[in-house]
Amino acid sequence: MDDNTKNIIQNYIDNNDVCLFMKGTPDAPQCGFSMAVSNMLKILEVNFKGVNVLEDQNIREGIKVYSDWPTIPQLYIKKEFVGGCDIVKEMYENGELKKVLEDKGINFKN
């Protein structure tokens, strides 16, 4: 991954408390997994930045290298990689996602 791509990814993560690298946008997801994670965040009323990886092939491939995680979507909370769809779904279902948001001072609906 080139430095420019790495810097773009880093800026998204640094400047957004909750950042979701996804296919499509929160309002128009273009994959079921991206839609699932986006919907969980919406249900919790979390303010998050959706980054559409389909708009930039460098970011689409670069985020996989950056996180050392092979799939999209990828969720970051306060600069920390949380996981992809399966992990976020499990955390959502067992209440762990709320705990992480709470611990990191992110506002959400209880």
Side-chain angles (χ1 to χ4, degrees), residues 80-106:
E80 188 179 318
F81 177 57
V82 176
C85 184
D86 291 347
I87 291 170
V88 174
K89 185 173 184 232
E90 187 177 315
M91 290 174 71
Y92 176 81
E93 289 170 351
N94 69 19
E96 201 178 331
L97 184 58
K98 281 185 177 180
K99 183 170 178 0
V100 169
L101 292 167
E102 212 167 70
D103 290 350
K104 294 189 178 284
I106 305 292

Side-chain angles (χ1 to χ4, degrees), residues 60-96:
R60 184 176 183 173
E61 295 308 316
I63 191 62
K64 297 174 188 178
V65 174
Y66 183 92
S67 62
D68 196 24
W69 191 260
T71 58
I72 293 164
Q74 294 186 13
L75 179 64
Y76 287 80
I77 299 175
K78 290 272 186 159
K79 304 179 187 176
E80 188 179 318
F81 177 57
V82 176
C85 184
D86 291 347
I87 291 170
V88 174
K89 185 173 184 232
E90 187 177 315
M91 290 174 71
Y92 176 81
E93 289 170 351
N94 69 19
E96 201 178 331

